[in-house]
Amino acid sequence: MEALTTLLPGLLFLFYFVPVVFIIWFMVTIVGQLKYQTKFLQQIFEKINSSE
């Protein structure tokens, strides 16, 4: 029982820290993908406009 009470603060830290890190990683990944998609769509738009 004493081992559990010694590990409890560390476990609580993990339960709060891991989701925050995951959310930040997810947001950074989404922003990167959206930037790439925007650049790709701009290239398509420029190709369409240049052919007219």
Side-chain angles (χ1 to χ4, degrees), residues 2-50:
E2 288 182 27
L4 182 62
T5 56
T6 357
L7 293 176
L8 193 59
L11 291 175
L12 288 176
F13 175 74
L14 283 177
F15 278 119
Y16 288 113
F17 184 69
V18 171
V20 170
V21 169
F22 179 74
I23 289 171
I24 292 172
W25 170 80
F26 183 74
M27 291 171 67
V28 168
T29 303
I30 292 294
V31 168
Q33 288 177 349
L34 289 174
K35 282 183 181 181
Y36 175 75
Q37 183 179 5
T38 303
K39 184 184 284 189
F40 183 67
L41 290 173
Q42 275 182 328
Q43 290 174 351
I44 293 173
F45 180 73
E46 290 170 1
K47 285 181 182 181
I48 290 173
N49 281 344
S50 66

